[in-house]
């Protein structure tokens, strides 16, 4: 089965400073969007916007329950992007981008 997503766009999403902090929160399990928004100091709609490409391609799952959005990460799928040797250069570029943001 062939995946039809832009690997570089996934890496860019993962290494964006705000999005990476959201993903770090999801490492421990599913979280409500409102919690992630509060932790990241952004609106719930911005959380969903930042994760939209990851949600669209199954890296993040989104469920709605009684008007609340609950998000969870597919850690195995996210890890496979980083571990894929074809994507190693993109990962290095992502790390360099993150480093440039920090400096």
């Amino acid at each position: 089965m062939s995946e039809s997503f832009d690997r570089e766009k996934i890496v860019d999403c993962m290494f964006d400073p705000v999005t990476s902090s959201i993903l770090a929160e999801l490492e421990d399990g599913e979280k409500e969007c409102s919690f992630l928004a509060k932790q990241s100091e952004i609106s719930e709609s911005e959380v969903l916007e930042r994760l939209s490409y990851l949600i669209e391609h199954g890296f993040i799952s989104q469920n709605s329950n009684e008007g609340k959005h609950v998000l969870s990460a597919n850690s195995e799928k996210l890890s496979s992007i980083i571990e894929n040797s074809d994507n190693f250069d993109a990962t290095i570029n992502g790390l360099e981008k993150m480093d440039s943001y920090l400096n």
Side-chain angles (χ1 to χ4, degrees), residues 2-82:
S2 176
E3 298 282 347
S4 59
F5 55 82
D6 181 343
R7 289 183 181 278
E8 187 172 330
K9 189 168 182 176
I10 297 292
V11 170
D12 285 346
C13 289
M14 291 173 66
F15 287 103
D16 171 79
V18 175
T19 307
S20 67
S21 70
I22 293 168
L23 292 173
E25 289 290 341
L26 293 173
E27 284 180 358
D28 297 331
E30 67 181 27
K31 302 279 189 311
E32 285 188 19
C33 187
S34 58
F35 171 81
L36 297 170
K38 186 175 180 180
Q39 293 297 108
S40 303
E41 299 179 347
I42 58 176
S43 68
E44 288 184 50
S45 61
E46 189 173 347
V47 169
L48 294 173
E49 183 180 322
R50 287 177 172 276
L51 297 177
S52 64
Y53 196 75
L54 297 172
I55 291 168
E56 180 182 340
H57 295 285
F59 292 89
I60 302 291
S61 298
Q62 174 186 358
N63 297 311
S64 295
N65 187 12
E66 298 178 14
K68 296 179 182 179
H69 295 283
V70 178
L71 302 168
S72 61
N74 182 335
S75 299
E76 187 174 305
K77 194 167 182 177
L78 286 166
S79 295
S80 73
I81 290 293
I82 303 302

